[in-house]
Amino acid sequence: MVIVKKKVPGASATSLARFAKRAAKLAGLPGEFNILLTGDAEVRAMNERFRGQDHSTDVLTFPGAEPGFAGEVAVAAGVAGANARAHGHTAAQEIKILILHGILHLRGYDHERDQGKMFRREDKLRLALRLPTGLIARNSGGSPLPARRKPPKTRLL
């Protein structure tokens, strides 16, 4: 289910649900999950309440505790819009990047501890979903482990 509390051009509940379903399938996320697109103040309050961090953030994830329920993803529309402007793409694209990032967290990935595993998965899925640069790549200045990334294959005619 997608709940849109804060409207963003090009990011309807229907289009985000369709995207999230495809992204979850590609990521191998089992079960149902919810997405909340809301204002920055609400995400900031959730960040303080559940993580003890009194600042705004772009995306939060809450893993599910019941069988068949993967969890919830909360996206801050204003932060997403600012990120989109800073990186030269639409707010709707940024929200999809954040949803993908959240889905990977619900799937069990943790970019702070997994030596680049989430980065590589996000990068691969981002390309498959035709999204601009992923969240981890932007925040780390590229691959956190550049030596592990294989150079692209060259095709000879």
Side-chain angles (χ1 to χ4, degrees), residues 18-97:
R18 193 171 36 247
F19 169 81
K21 182 178 180 179
R22 182 167 180 237
K25 182 178 181 180
L26 289 172
L29 180 66
E32 298 293 319
F33 60 98
N34 297 324
I35 297 169
L36 172 65
L37 177 58
T38 191
D40 297 357
E42 187 171 4
V43 172
R44 180 180 183 153
M46 287 188 276
N47 199 23
E48 182 175 20
R49 180 176 177 194
F50 297 108
R51 298 181 67 225
Q53 297 184 16
D54 184 22
H55 60 82
S56 197
T57 190
D58 46 12
V59 62
L60 292 172
T61 56
F62 304 93
E66 301 171 16
F69 182 65
E72 299 179 314
V73 177
V75 176
V79 175
N83 288 346
R85 287 187 296 280
H87 295 286
H89 52 259
T90 69
Q93 288 174 310
E94 181 69 15
I95 290 164
K96 289 176 181 178
I97 290 167

